[in-house]
Amino acid sequence: MAGRRDVWLTDYDALTQQAVSIREKINERNQMKMSGGNPSKLSSSIRLMLNGYARDLDKLKTSLSRASSSFHITEGEAVRRQNLVDNLTARQRQLNDAFREEPSESRGTSRDALLGSQPYGVSTNPWLDNESEETQGLTNAELMQQHQEVMKQQDEGLEELATALQRQKHIGLAMHDEVEKQDEILDDLHDKVGRTTARIERETRHVERIRVKASDKGLCCAVTLLFLLIIVLMCIPKQ
């Protein structure tokens, strides 16, 4: 994040500078060959530098894989760093191709060949095949400064994204808590409604039993009165 440089980014910057140094050595070797010198010692040095670059690149890839799998960095940061690693891998292929390629007089007037004749500290961007207009004419120090500014802007953008995601996380947690509270209220209400419904059903059955008993008692009273009336009528003498 912005304001804090971790070891991975420091190693990435060192590897980027290492690639620049290797390309300058290759240009120096090509100039020596074209001038009739013996660049065997310089070629051996370049070969060692390329091997060291490959080892450091593998370490950088492994470190990124571990940080991504253990969630020590965000998904967006992991994607950004993977793009940086891909760029370093592409540079590795360019360096290997340039090391194996024999210099020719036809390329002596190209910007790539001219870089070897420039003094250290003023050589320009060595990645000529993919060089943009905005980086043409910049020294290594200026290129590194521009790279650092781009990294800083990306870090600031990721910081803002992380802040926004953190706010969204807090909102989501608050909504989750509210939903849980509402679920508890609904569960309690459901239990109360269930108990009330059971009580109403029980009282309804009780009322029904009372009604049936009352109906039976009324019928008995009516039969008794009718029986008494018959007896009374039987007891009245006939005229």
Side-chain angles (χ1 to χ4, degrees):
M1 292 301 169
R4 184 179 65 183
R5 299 284 294 174
D6 59 23
V7 177
W8 193 94
L9 293 176
T10 301
D11 293 341
Y12 168 79
D13 291 338
L15 197 57
T16 301
Q17 184 59 46
Q18 184 178 348
V20 173
S21 299
I22 294 174
R23 187 57 191 249
E24 290 177 345
K25 290 292 185 181
I26 293 176
N27 290 335
E28 183 180 347
R29 183 209 63 174
N30 292 343
Q31 285 295 315
M32 184 178 295
K33 280 187 176 182
M34 293 172 61
S35 61
N38 184 7
S40 58
K41 183 180 295 185
L42 190 57
S43 295
S44 298
S45 176
I46 295 172
R47 188 176 292 105
L48 291 176
M49 293 175 69
L50 287 172
N51 292 334
Y53 182 92
R55 288 193 300 270
D56 293 341
L57 182 57
D58 289 338
K59 292 180 181 178
L60 202 65
K61 292 178 180 179
T62 302
S63 177
L64 175 59
S65 178
R66 290 176 179 174
S68 178
S69 61
S70 59
F71 301 101
H72 288 167
I73 57 176
T74 63
E75 182 178 356
E77 177 66 10
V79 172
R80 185 179 74 89
R81 293 189 182 189
Q82 183 60 51
N83 291 335
L84 296 178
V85 170
D86 292 341
N87 291 336
L88 290 178
T89 303
R91 291 184 180 184
Q92 182 186 29
R93 290 194 295 267
Q94 292 176 354
L95 288 172
N96 289 328
D97 292 342
F99 179 70
R100 291 190 296 266
E101 185 177 0
E102 290 294 331
S104 62
E105 293 295 334
S106 61
R107 297 184 58 198
T109 58
S110 67
R111 189 165 180 263
D112 184 38
L114 291 176
L115 284 175
S117 62
Q118 295 177 354
Y120 181 82
V122 296
S123 65
T124 52
N125 186 355
W127 316 112
L128 302 177
D129 294 336
N130 300 321
E131 186 176 12
S132 61
E133 294 182 358
E134 62 181 8
T135 60
Q136 290 180 356
L138 298 180
T139 64
N140 291 336
E142 291 171 338
L143 287 172
M144 289 298 297
Q145 182 179 2
Q146 185 184 68
H147 171 70
Q148 294 291 341
E149 291 176 355
V150 172
M151 293 283 290
K152 182 179 179 181
Q153 292 175 359
Q154 292 177 341
D155 286 342
E156 291 175 352
L158 289 173
E159 185 72 27
E160 294 177 357
L161 177 60
T163 301
L165 291 176
Q166 192 69 17
R167 287 198 300 267
Q168 293 295 329
K169 178 182 178 181
H170 291 161
I171 293 174
L173 290 175
M175 293 178 62
H176 176 71
D177 294 340
E178 184 64 25
V179 169
E180 286 189 343
K181 292 179 181 178
Q182 295 297 329
D183 284 342
E184 292 177 358
I185 294 174
L186 290 175
D187 289 340
D188 183 62
L189 180 61
H190 181 269
D191 292 340
K192 290 182 179 179
V193 169
R195 289 193 296 268
T196 303
T197 301
R199 188 179 299 113
I200 291 174
E201 291 177 351
R202 185 171 60 253
E203 295 299 328
T204 300
R205 290 193 298 269
H206 182 64
V207 170
E208 182 65 20
R209 286 195 298 269
I210 293 174
R211 186 187 65 80
V212 171
K213 289 180 180 180
S215 177
D216 293 340
K217 289 180 179 180
L219 181 60
C220 290
C221 291
V223 172
T224 301
L225 291 175
L226 182 59
F227 180 74
L228 293 175
L229 181 61
I230 294 173
I231 292 175
V232 171
L233 291 177
M234 290 177 64
C235 292
I236 296 175
K238 297 181 180 179
Q239 296 180 356

